[in-house]
Amino acid sequence: MNRLFASLILMLALIMNADFGLAQAQEQEQPPPLPVRIGVFVGGLYSMHSGGFHFPESTEAPITAYDEGTAFGPSFGIRFDLPLLRNLRLSPRLFAECRRGDFTSDPFTMEIIGQDLQPQSMTLEDDLEVTMRMAGIDLMLQWSPFGTGPYLLAGPTVGMKLYEEFRVTERIVEPALVTFLDGSRSKEMYDDDPEFTRDLTLGLRAGVGYTLALNRDMALGVEAQYLMLLQPVREDGDWSMAGLQATVALLFAL
């Protein structure tokens, strides 16, 4: 009887020791908690415009039609990475960016006094450079299937226009020998802030990214995003804009 009791005590001790060792091993296998990070990012935005619009609105100048245009502008900002789950982060960002567009108008004609003082048609085109300087906030969710490294991101964006600049340069297409009064075949006609576009814009961003740990407290992040505005660029028109953005971020653990 004493031997049986001693055997039971020994078996119980072995089982408890094994359970304690397994629990200790599982605790050691648990990955460290994800760090909260803050960083700065820089990059560029390639803006793509479509839908068409007319400029200027003044009756004192010819109203010119513009359609598709593209241009590249800088972007930068501050980024926060806040872990929610092992594979999910909330990443709010404060950004500033230039949404630019280079447009060429449809050709239009004007009557001039040409050779031998006879009426003659002159064909012109207007080149329009648009720059919209924006500041705003993104509220992104990052999902990383492996916990670290590559991730997908998406979320809403709100932008506030700080300043816009429209620059119109008029070019003579034909006749070949006709010039402006200063002897040139192109002339700047407008350069100002016409307050032509929407002050507040709503949109969505989605893309892919990768975070590379440089050491315990520092990481490098690269992202490629697609920007889609949910509203026309003008409040009363069909002018729409989308963009492709690439950024590089330097992130610091808190």
Side-chain angles (χ1 to χ4, degrees):
M1 187 68 176
N2 291 336
R3 288 183 179 180
L4 180 59
F5 183 73
S7 299
L8 291 174
I9 294 295
L10 180 60
M11 289 177 62
L12 182 61
L14 291 174
I15 292 172
M16 291 179 64
N17 187 56
D19 288 343
F20 178 75
L22 180 61
Q24 197 171 34
Q26 288 177 343
E27 286 182 4
Q28 292 176 353
E29 291 174 2
Q30 288 291 331
L34 294 174
V36 175
R37 292 194 177 110
I38 183 173
V40 294
F41 64 86
V42 295
L45 176 67
Y46 182 72
S47 301
M48 301 171 289
H49 305 264
S50 61
F53 60 95
H54 293 80
F55 182 83
E57 295 180 303
S58 171
T59 57
E60 298 177 0
I63 299 177
T64 310
Y66 299 92
D67 196 346
E68 296 185 357
T70 60
F72 178 85
S75 62
F76 59 92
I78 302 173
R79 165 179 158 183
F80 304 86
D81 287 355
L82 312 174
L84 300 177
L85 301 172
R86 188 65 201 169
N87 297 336
L88 191 66
R89 286 175 175 268
L90 179 66
S91 183
R93 292 104 184 270
L94 301 174
F95 70 85
E97 63 190 20
C98 284
R99 299 174 182 174
R100 299 186 61 249
D102 293 337
F103 303 85
T104 299
S105 73
D106 297 335
F108 58 96
T109 60
M110 296 180 64
E111 293 293 325
I112 61 171
I113 302 300
Q115 191 174 9
D116 299 328
L117 300 179
Q118 297 298 315
Q120 185 177 8
S121 294
M122 178 176 63
T123 302
L124 304 102
E125 286 180 343
D126 283 355
D127 292 330
L128 171 62
E129 300 176 31
V130 176
T131 301
M132 294 172 283
R133 295 176 176 87
M134 311 292 296
I137 184 169
D138 300 333
L139 191 60
M140 311 294 284
L141 278 177
Q142 299 178 4
W143 177 69
S144 175
F146 309 110
T148 59
Y151 57 87
L152 303 176
L153 74 159
T157 178
V158 179
M160 181 179 66
K161 184 180 67 178
L162 303 177
Y163 179 77
E164 70 182 16
E165 182 180 6
F166 279 49
R167 179 179 298 168
V168 178
T169 302
E170 198 162 272
R171 292 182 292 108
I172 299 174
V173 179
E174 56 183 23
L177 299 180
V178 174
T179 66
F180 292 106
L181 294 178
D182 62 1
S184 68
R185 288 181 58 83
S186 64
K187 182 179 181 180
E188 185 175 290
M189 308 297 291
Y190 184 91
D191 186 4
D192 203 356
D193 178 358
E195 299 184 0
F196 190 73
T197 63
R198 188 185 296 271
D199 290 329
L200 192 68
T201 61
L202 303 176
L204 295 173
R205 297 187 198 262
V208 297
Y210 189 92
T211 301
L212 175 65
L214 301 178
N215 54 43
R216 184 176 178 180
D217 299 321
M218 189 180 301
L220 187 69
V222 293
E223 289 183 352
Q225 299 179 19
Y226 178 77
L227 166 66
M228 179 180 68
L229 294 187
L230 300 178
Q231 306 158 298
V233 178
R234 272 183 62 79
E235 294 185 1
D236 56 351
D238 298 325
W239 178 7
S240 62
M241 197 207 89
L244 297 174
Q245 186 177 40
T247 60
V248 178
L250 189 60
L251 304 168
F252 302 91
L254 299 179

